[in-house]
Amino acid sequence: MRFIWLLLALFVGSAQAAHKGQLQPSNPFPKVAMKTTLGTIVIELDRTRAPLTVDAFLAYVVDGDYDQTLFHRIIPGFVAQGGGIDTRYSPKNEKKRLANESGNGLKNSEGTIAMARQNAPHSATRQFFFNLAENDSLNPSRRGWGYTVFGEVVEGHDILLKFNSVQTEYSDKLGWPDVPVAPVILEKATLLPEE
């Protein structure tokens, strides 16, 4: 029986190591292409400032776990949030919660990507949002934690502008407002090859 547990532990450990290798661990600024129904956005992540967040985000990307998810909360002039709800309006499975890295010096500026979370500062898991404006209120302060910025849009700024024109409504299915009337889908997220 011990032998079986040892084999299982070795298999899991080697699978995790292989997965880690797919995340380009030596690349400080990996890029991800996000093909959406509004067009393609390319983001450059900053592993030097938000290593835990970047690795967690990339694990979802490499696993294909962001594919066919909704931008389920869009507030023009504020944020476009996605990554946690599938196209049937069901929540996706979450991995572990992340330590809040909002004190890393990156600001919630227009065109950046940050982790969504609940009120608890260390509650981010998989959902992210694009800042559609200068959102200083989401930055950390002496009074509290902020929202972890971990990258910025380097291609597709025009797509971010399209988010500002999306019509939204209250969703009985989800139980909250600001849900697009016509679904905005993240069709595929792809980690781009190292340059």
Side-chain angles (χ1 to χ4, degrees), residues 19-56:
H19 191 267
K20 181 78 170 163
Q22 295 173 344
L23 304 182
Q24 300 177 3
S26 62
N27 184 357
F29 302 104
K31 290 184 180 175
V32 172
M34 302 177 100
K35 182 182 175 203
T36 77
T37 50
L38 297 178
T40 300
I41 299 167
V42 176
I43 54 175
E44 182 178 83
L45 309 179
D46 191 339
R47 186 178 265 131
T48 66
R49 300 278 189 96
L52 301 175
T53 304
V54 168
D55 282 353

Side-chain angles (χ1 to χ4, degrees), residues 124-186:
T125 55
R126 63 172 297 133
Q127 291 190 30
F128 59 86
F129 61 89
F130 288 109
N131 283 293
L132 304 179
E134 298 295 320
N135 291 320
D136 292 337
S137 64
L138 303 180
N139 294 327
S141 69
R142 290 184 301 174
R143 293 182 307 241
W145 293 89
Y147 291 77
T148 303
V149 174
F150 62 100
E152 66 181 331
V153 173
V154 292
E155 292 177 36
H157 290 277
D158 56 321
I159 307 307
L160 289 187
L161 294 176
K162 290 181 183 181
F163 280 114
N164 284 318
S165 301
V166 171
Q167 288 188 328
T168 63
E169 64 184 357
Y170 182 87
S171 169
D172 289 328
K173 235 179 195 177
L174 294 175
W176 62 70
D178 307 313
V179 178
V181 173
V184 179
I185 301 169
L186 172 51

Side-chain angles (χ1 to χ4, degrees), residues 108-129:
N108 282 278
S109 302
E110 184 175 0
T112 58
I113 185 170
M115 290 305 288
R117 62 173 173 81
Q118 298 169 354
N119 287 335
H122 306 290
S123 58
T125 55
R126 63 172 297 133
Q127 291 190 30
F128 59 86
F129 61 89

